Amino acid sequence: MAETDVLSRRCVMMRLVDFSYEQYQKALRQSAGAVVIILPKSISSVPQDVVRQFMEIEPEMLAMETIVPVYFAVEDEELLSIYEQTRAASASQGSASAAEVLLHTATANGFQMVTSGAQSKAINDWLIPSVEGRLTGLGGEDLPTVVIVAHYDSFGVAPWLSHGADSNGSGISVLLELARLFSRLYTYRRTHAGYNLLFFASGGGKFNYQGTKRWLEDNLDHTDSSLLQDNVAFVLCLDTLGRGNSLHLHVSKPPKEGTLQHAFLRELEMVVANQFPEVKFSMVHKKINLAEDMLAWEHERFAIRRLPAFTISHLESHRDSLRNSIMDRRARIDTKALTRNTQIIAEALTRVIYNLTEKGAPADMQIFTDQMEIQQEQLESVMDWLSSQPRAAQLIDKDSTFLNTLEYYMGRYLKDVKQHHVKADKRDPEFVFYDQLKQVMNAYRVKPAIFDLLLAVCIAAYLGVAYVAVQHFGLLYKLIQRLSLKTKQQ
C-alpha cells in the first residue's frame, strides 16, 4: 500500500479515487518494486475533481524518467479483493503493538505480483498510416480545393487505455459527417459546387503531426500534380469538438480580407450569432514557435508550408490536459454539443463554397434541415465505435481493423479513397516506441519469509521437546525395570 513507510521491493497499489502525486513520487523515490494504479470500470463514476486532478498530473508522470515499472489495471472483483486485504493488513500494523505486529507479520497472508511476457523492445522504423479521399468539384480542372483534416490517434499515460473520445474522436466524427453531407450535395449537378473537397484522416497527430508532415512532403515535393499543389483555398483542421458552449478558430496568421479563409471566418461568426447565440465564438491568434519541439495545432503543419489553414476546437488553449489523457472517455462527450458544432461548421462551409451570403441568403437560414439534417444518431454511432477502442499511435498499423474500417467508412461517401503509409521523420523530436505494452500480472498468495523462520523454530522446539521426553521416558523405563527386578528377588 502507498501508506507503508518502507516501500523497497514492494508492489504499491493505488486506486484512482485515492491517488495522489505525492504518494506516487514517494513510491518512485523509495524504489518500489512496481506501482499499480487501479482504474474503475466506469470513469463517469469518478468525481470530476478527481478526474481533473489526475489529468493535470498525467503530463508530469509522462515527463518523469523512472526505472520503476508503472502498471494501470481496470478493477475487477479479484483485484479489489487483493487491494482490500492488503490495505487491511497495512492498517492493522499501524495501530498494533510490537508483539502484535511481529505475530501478524509472521502469520499474515501476502501477495506476490508477477508479470508474464517478454522484455519490451524498441520498435524501429515506426510506420504512420493515414487515409485520404476526395470529392471532385464541377466546372473544370483548375478548381480551388478545401482540405478538411482530423487526426485519428489518441494519447495518454497508458497506450492501451487511450480511447481519445474528444481528442480526437470528435474531430474524426465531424469529418465523416461532413463527408456524408457533401457527398449528397455533390451527387446532383444542381448542387455540385465548384470546389474540390479533400478529406484527410491523419496518423501520428499526437506525435507532432508526423503523418500530416509526410503527407505534405509527398504531395508538394515528390509529385508533379496534386490537389494540394494546384490551388488550395484553405485547410480546415478539426480537433476536440465534443463538448462545451464555445468554439475557437485557432490561426497562425489572421486571414486577410478578401480571401476565402476570411470569408469562412465571417460565416462562422454569422452562423453562431444568428443560429446558435448560446455559443461563444472567437478567433485565437498564436504565432508558430519554431523554437519549441512540438507544434501546438495541426494547422501549423500546413502554415509552415505556406498553405492557409486554421483549427477549430472548443478548447481555447492547445495546452489543455484533455488532449492527452486516458480520462478522455465516451462519457465526457456531449452528443448534442457535438451535433451542434457539426452543424455550425457545415453551415459556414456551405455558405462559403456556394457563396450564399453574396447571393442574398438570410443569415438565419439553416441549410441542413429535414432530409439533409445532421444525423445525431450517426454521430453517436461513430463516437461509440471510435471510443470503444484504444487508438494510440503505437497500436495502429497498416493491418489494424480500425484503419481498414475507417477506410471503408470514408469509401462510402468519397472517391479515390486510399491509405498512406510513411515512416516517421527522424529529424523531428525522437519518439521511441516499445512493444509489449500490455502484460498479464498474476498475484500469488504467499506467506512472509519470517513465517518460514518461525515455523522452523517451532519444529526445532517440538523436536527438542520430543527428544527430551524420549530421554526421560527411557530413564523412567529403566528405573521401573530395576524396581520390578528387585521385587521379584525379594
Side-chain angles (χ1 to χ4, degrees):
M1 299 302 298
E3 295 84 357
T4 306
D5 292 331
V6 181
L7 301 178
S8 179
R9 299 186 63 187
R10 295 186 181 223
C11 179
V12 179
M13 303 180 71
M14 306 178 186
R15 292 184 68 184
L16 179 63
V17 293
D18 305 318
F19 180 85
S20 74
Y21 193 50
E22 291 74 20
Q23 291 178 343
Y24 176 73
Q25 286 183 311
K26 176 184 176 183
L28 300 184
R29 285 196 306 268
Q30 296 194 16
S31 300
V35 176
V36 178
I37 300 174
I38 304 173
L39 303 177
K41 290 182 178 179
S42 174
I43 297 297
S44 59
S45 64
V46 182
Q48 287 302 305
D49 59 332
V50 175
V51 172
R52 283 194 298 269
Q53 178 187 358
F54 185 81
M55 288 170 61
E56 292 172 358
I57 292 172
E58 267 188 279
E60 300 293 334
M61 297 175 68
L62 285 163
M64 181 181 294
E65 185 175 350
T66 173
I67 60 173
V68 176
V70 180
Y71 299 91
F72 290 83
V74 179
E75 66 182 18
D76 56 22
E77 292 183 4
E78 290 79 8
L79 186 57
L80 287 179
S81 175
I82 293 171
Y83 175 83
E84 294 298 339
Q85 291 181 55
T86 308
R87 183 176 184 179
S90 178
S92 64
Q93 290 188 34
S95 59
S97 64
E100 290 173 332
V101 169
L102 181 62
L103 180 62
H104 184 273
T105 302
T107 58
N109 289 319
F111 296 94
Q112 182 180 14
M113 314 299 284
V114 180
T115 57
S116 60
Q119 184 71 26
S120 296
K121 296 179 181 179
I123 301 174
N124 297 320
D125 297 326
W126 168 46
L127 199 65
I128 309 171
S130 301
V131 186
E132 78 165 58
R134 66 186 66 189
L135 291 172
T136 305
L138 181 68
E141 296 182 359
D142 189 20
L143 294 174
T145 298
V146 173
V147 186
I148 302 171
V149 181
H151 65 273
Y152 63 76
D153 55 310
S154 56
F155 186 75
V157 69
W160 275 98
L161 297 174
S162 302
H163 290 212
D166 200 1
S167 181
N168 193 31
S170 64
I172 289 292
S173 298
V174 175
L175 180 143
L176 294 176
E177 183 66 1
L178 292 176
R180 184 187 71 83
L181 293 171
F182 282 95
S183 69
R184 295 190 65 182
L185 290 174
Y186 275 46
T187 299
Y188 306 101
R189 186 178 183 86
R190 195 165 59 91
T191 57
H192 200 153
Y195 284 85
N196 297 317
L197 297 181
L198 181 57
F199 294 82
F200 184 56
S202 62
K206 299 300 185 181
F207 293 89
N208 218 16
Y209 309 105
Q210 288 261 7
T212 299
K213 179 179 182 179
R214 296 303 306 275
W215 184 64
L216 282 169
E217 290 175 352
D218 289 345
N219 280 276
L220 299 180
D221 302 336
H222 304 147
T223 184
D224 294 332
S225 178
S226 73
L227 290 182
L228 288 177
Q229 275 187 334
D230 299 337
N231 184 8
V232 175
F234 60 81
V235 180
L236 174 62
C237 299
L238 309 170
D239 196 330
T240 49
L241 293 161
R243 54 184 292 145
N245 286 316
S246 62
L247 277 179
H248 305 282
L249 193 69
H250 296 270
V251 300
S252 302
K253 187 177 181 180
K256 295 181 179 179
E257 288 193 28
T259 61
L260 200 69
Q261 56 266 33
H262 185 269
F264 180 69
L265 170 62
R266 290 290 170 256
E267 294 292 357
L268 277 172
E269 292 175 334
M270 187 170 62
V271 169
V272 169
N274 290 276
Q275 300 181 28
F276 303 94
E278 73 278 6
V279 176
K280 175 187 174 183
F281 177 79
S282 68
M283 184 185 74
V284 180
H285 175 211
K286 177 193 171 298
K287 292 182 179 180
I288 300 175
N289 187 355
L290 295 177
E292 292 187 359
D293 289 337
M294 302 288 288
L295 296 178
W297 298 99
E298 191 159 16
H299 74 266
E300 295 183 352
R301 277 289 174 210
F302 295 90
I304 289 174
R305 301 305 297 263
R306 301 187 181 282
L307 295 175
F310 26 63
T311 297
I312 189 166
S313 170
H314 72 76
L315 299 178
E316 191 170 2
S317 171
H318 68 281
R319 300 186 186 279
D320 195 295
S321 57
L322 174 67
R323 300 183 71 202
N324 301 299
S325 177
I326 61 174
M327 297 290 107
D328 183 11
R329 298 297 185 93
R330 177 67 176 87
R332 295 182 63 84
I333 296 296
D334 181 350
T335 309
K336 290 184 178 179
L338 179 64
T339 305
R340 179 203 65 209
N341 292 339
T342 305
Q343 178 138 11
I344 291 173
I345 296 169
E347 296 277 347
L349 188 58
T350 304
R351 294 182 73 92
V352 166
I353 66 176
Y354 290 95
N355 200 20
L356 295 183
T357 299
E358 294 297 325
K359 294 177 180 178
D364 59 351
M365 182 187 75
Q366 285 198 357
I367 302 162
F368 294 97
T369 59
D370 299 328
Q371 294 182 350
M372 284 292 293
E373 70 179 354
I374 310 296
Q375 294 185 356
Q376 182 172 321
E377 296 79 8
Q378 181 95 340
L379 284 168
E380 287 180 339
S381 177
V382 172
M383 278 303 314
D384 290 341
W385 166 61
L386 288 167
S387 57
S388 67
Q389 56 196 310
R391 301 188 316 280
Q394 304 97 308
L395 308 178
I396 305 295
D397 56 31
K398 62 181 181 179
D399 298 320
S400 71
T401 303
F402 164 77
L403 200 68
N404 292 329
T405 305
L406 179 61
E407 181 184 18
Y408 167 77
Y409 201 108
M410 292 177 67
R412 292 172 59 184
Y413 309 118
L414 307 175
K415 306 296 183 183
D416 302 325
V417 175
K418 57 185 177 182
Q419 293 188 24
H420 288 269
H421 304 106
V422 295
K423 292 182 180 179
D425 191 340
K426 295 184 178 180
R427 293 171 297 177
D428 253 7
E430 185 177 359
F431 305 109
V432 180
F433 289 159
Y434 291 85
D435 59 6
Q436 303 296 328
L437 296 174
K438 192 175 186 180
Q439 292 187 340
V440 176
M441 179 176 285
N442 298 302
Y444 298 97
R445 191 181 295 275
V446 296
K447 290 288 186 180
I450 194 174
F451 174 80
D452 295 335
L453 177 62
L454 181 62
L455 183 62
V457 170
C458 292
I459 293 174
Y462 170 78
L463 292 176
V465 170
Y467 175 77
V468 171
V470 169
Q471 291 294 325
H472 282 77
F473 179 79
L475 291 174
L476 182 62
Y477 179 73
K478 289 181 180 180
L479 181 60
I480 293 174
Q481 279 188 326
R482 289 178 181 178
L483 290 174
S484 176
L485 181 61
K486 287 182 178 182
T487 302
K488 288 181 179 181
Q489 289 177 349
Q490 292 176 354

